[in-house]
Amino acid sequence: MLEVEGLVAGYGGSPILRDVSVRLAAGEIVGLLGANNAGKTTLINCLSGIVQPMSGRIVFDGQDVTRATARERVELGIIQVPEGRLVFPEMSIRENLLLGGFCDRARPHRPAQMDKVLELFPRLKERLTQAAGTLSGGEQQMLAIGRGLMAEARILMLDEPSLGLSPLFVQYIFEIIDQLHKSGLTMLLVEQNLNLTLRHAQRCYVLERGHVAVEGEADLVRSDPRTRQAYLGL
Ligand code: ATP
């Protein structure tokens, strides 16, 4: 469904990602792991069109989207749930969700999609008129995921969904990720939490200082000594 080939990308002419190749098949959860500053967010930002790569190719569903705008990618269903949630704090939960479904493709289906999202997150349903900024971190993460689903994501890219959450909320968010997987959604899961990601993803890539150090089925990545080396910076 998504193929990234030889991606080089960075900031101000200095590359951060060096020759990164990644692929996702339809319906897979693929984990993107790595220590701080490995380049995980830079890669996800390249996929959503926020960062323009210096070279390489991004193909989604057979279509070259390397130079497509962020908006065009949203219309194709490439949806990012950003690190730190980035909900609109002054707006209500309902308004945040409606904004998620604002693209041309999703707008006509917003009422039905809203029902599905609220069924998935009953906690949001109870608080529809509440300002998003007053939600707890875990609830904001639910809202950020719900907002991504409102865009009728074909591939949902979750950037550190467990960051800063209590263990109970982390468990809940991963249960939701499993449910979405069962419904057939393709997901790229960017995480620092190695064990949790290896448990939920089918395949993983471990980024180390901008290049792919290890890749493969979750079990192989778990037992590969290079995975821990990449994490510990050895
Ligand atoms: P973390 O787990 O801490 O979020 P990461 O693996 O997502 O890290 P990135 O956020 O992609 O890593 O950052 C990789 C490198 O790119 C870092 O050295 C960072 O300082 C640099 N970087 C990120 N964004 C920018 C930017 N907008 N301008 C310049 N440098 C940046």
Side-chain angles (χ1 to χ4, degrees):
M1 182 176 232
L2 182 77
E3 282 175 64
V4 177
E5 281 171 27
L7 206 68
V8 178
Y11 307 94
S14 315
I16 298 286
L17 299 178
R18 293 171 287 131
D19 195 21
V20 169
S21 297
V22 164
R23 68 185 169 79
L24 271 91
E28 261 190 320
I29 303 182
V30 169
L32 182 63
L33 295 157
N36 277 124
N37 292 341
K40 304 181 297 296
T41 299
T42 302
L43 176 55
I44 220 173
N45 282 344
C46 284
L47 298 178
S48 59
I50 295 170
V51 171
Q52 287 301 319
M54 296 165 189
S55 59
R57 222 159 76 100
I58 304 169
V59 177
F60 179 69
D61 234 1
Q63 184 178 341
D64 191 329
V65 296
T66 317
R67 300 288 155 206
T69 63
R71 183 183 173 152
E72 286 164 346
R73 294 184 212 206
V74 168
E75 288 293 352
L76 289 171
I78 304 174
I79 306 296
Q80 179 171 7
V81 179
E83 183 177 348
R85 291 50 111 172
L86 306 189
V87 298
F88 299 102
E90 310 286 329
M91 297 172 80
S92 69
I93 289 172
R94 187 169 182 278
E95 288 164 337
N96 269 272
L97 289 174
L98 286 174
L99 267 183
F102 201 71
C103 63
D104 292 345
R105 190 174 41 86
R107 208 177 311 146
H109 314 130
R110 284 197 296 183
Q113 200 62 20
M114 175 84 92
D115 287 347
K116 279 194 207 164
V117 167
L118 296 179
E119 197 179 315
L120 193 64
F121 297 114
R123 207 157 168 142
L124 297 181
K125 193 174 184 176
E126 293 159 13
R127 294 167 168 76
L128 268 184
T129 55
Q130 193 174 322
T134 63
L135 294 174
S136 73
E139 290 163 348
Q140 288 191 17
Q141 187 61 58
M142 293 177 203
L143 180 55
I145 294 174
R147 185 180 56 187
L149 295 173
M150 286 295 294
E152 302 205 320
R154 298 193 50 226
I155 173 169
L156 195 67
M157 306 187 294
L158 299 145
D159 197 349
E160 308 233 11
S162 76
L163 194 72
L165 302 191
S166 66
L168 214 61
F169 264 118
V170 172
Q171 196 186 329
Y172 177 74
I173 291 296
F174 273 81
E175 279 167 17
I176 293 290
I177 290 170
D178 280 345
Q179 273 190 49
L180 293 172
H181 173 57
K182 283 196 190 109
S183 76
L185 186 62
T186 310
M187 282 173 280
L188 180 64
L189 181 55
V190 173
E191 264 293 339
Q192 280 194 43
N193 191 322
L194 185 68
N195 289 325
L196 206 54
T197 306
L198 288 170
R199 236 182 288 141
H200 292 265
Q202 287 82 56
R203 289 190 307 111
C204 289
Y205 294 83
V206 182
L207 275 188
E208 183 186 22
R209 281 168 299 186
H211 77 277
V212 176
V214 189
E215 65 176 278
E217 310 248 319
D219 286 343
L220 293 177
V221 170
R222 183 183 288 112
S223 57
D224 193 318
R226 290 174 301 168
T227 299
R228 270 155 229 280
Q229 280 168 15
Y231 257 78
L232 298 172
L234 297 173

